[in-house]
């Protein structure tokens, strides 16, 4: 039981390049989330999904797109990377109802130069 | 403007003593609160949660107190252990407004042997 895994762990992009971060969970959770963590700001929600084929915007969705084609996977895409997207990205999953605790992946450190 | 605040960036306590981590929120519509612990280079892990219909929840060494009138919650760790040294995040949710979890910026706890 791997829990929540994220691919890749590290990535360096040039401004304007695109990439996709992959999140996978093996706990059969309905809900999945993408967060970014910046120094001094805690975690901020980018997008989330409450089920296969559904997505919703979080607090900071601009510049990102997501897809949830399979229940166990949640993809985060950057179409044209900007230096402001340099951050650590965390994926999480949870069951649909209480207790609402989220299980987090180990994170992806992205640097955009 | 941060809706969830953790005004102490860091806290040091002696092993065996009590650690008290504080969290304040501004949105009176938040009705569910969670605490997470995070070690370096890992994702956050869930510690304890509390619904707004309660004012206290206890799980082993961890107790969360909620004061709705003051929009304040605190996490008590008794007794503190060196392994508790980590960054602690407070998170809040308005349950009828989607899955928009809002995290505080975190408090770094150091438990000294």
């Amino acid at each position: 039981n791997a829990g929540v895994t994220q691919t890749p762990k590290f990535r360096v992009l040039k401004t304007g390049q695109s990439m996709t971060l992959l999140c996978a969970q093996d706990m059969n959770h309905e809900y999945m989330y993408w967060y970014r963590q910046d120094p001094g700001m805690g975690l901020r929600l980018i997008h989330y999904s409450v089920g296969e084929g559904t997505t919703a915007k979080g607090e900071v969705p601009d510049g990102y797109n997501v897809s949830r084609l399979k229940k166990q996977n949640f993809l985060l895409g950057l179409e044209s990377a900007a230096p402001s997207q340099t951050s650590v990205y965390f994926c999480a999953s949870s069951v649909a109802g209480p207790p609402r605790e989220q299980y987090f992946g180990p994170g992806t450190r992205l640097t955009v130069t | 403007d941060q809706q969830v605040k953790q005004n102490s960036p860091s806290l040091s306590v002696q092993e065996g003593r009590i650690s008290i981590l504080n969290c304040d929120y501004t949105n009176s519509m938040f009705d569910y609160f969670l605490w997470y612990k995070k070690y370096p280079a890992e994702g956050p892990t869930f510690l304890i949660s509390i619904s707004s219909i309660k004012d206290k929840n206890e799980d082993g060494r961890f107790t969360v107190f909620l004061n709705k009138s003051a929009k304040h919650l605190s996490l008590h760790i008794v007794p503190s252990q060196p392994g508790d040294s980590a960054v602690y995040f407070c998170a809040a949710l308005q349950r009828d407004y989607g899955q928009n979890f809002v995290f505080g910026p975190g408090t770094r706890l150091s438990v000294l042997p």
Side-chain angles (χ1 to χ4, degrees), chain A residues 33-75:
Chain A
Y33 313 79
W34 275 107
Y35 290 90
R36 58 179 289 173
Q37 185 189 12
D38 301 297
M41 299 191 71
L43 286 83
R44 290 184 293 167
L45 183 64
I46 303 171
H47 287 278
Y48 66 93
S49 167
V50 298
E52 188 177 315
T54 72
T55 63
K57 293 180 180 180
E59 180 186 354
V60 288
D62 294 341
Y64 305 95
N65 56 75
V66 289
S67 64
R68 183 114 180 257
L69 300 179
K70 294 183 180 180
K71 185 177 184 179
Q72 64 267 33
N73 295 337
F74 195 27
L75 305 179

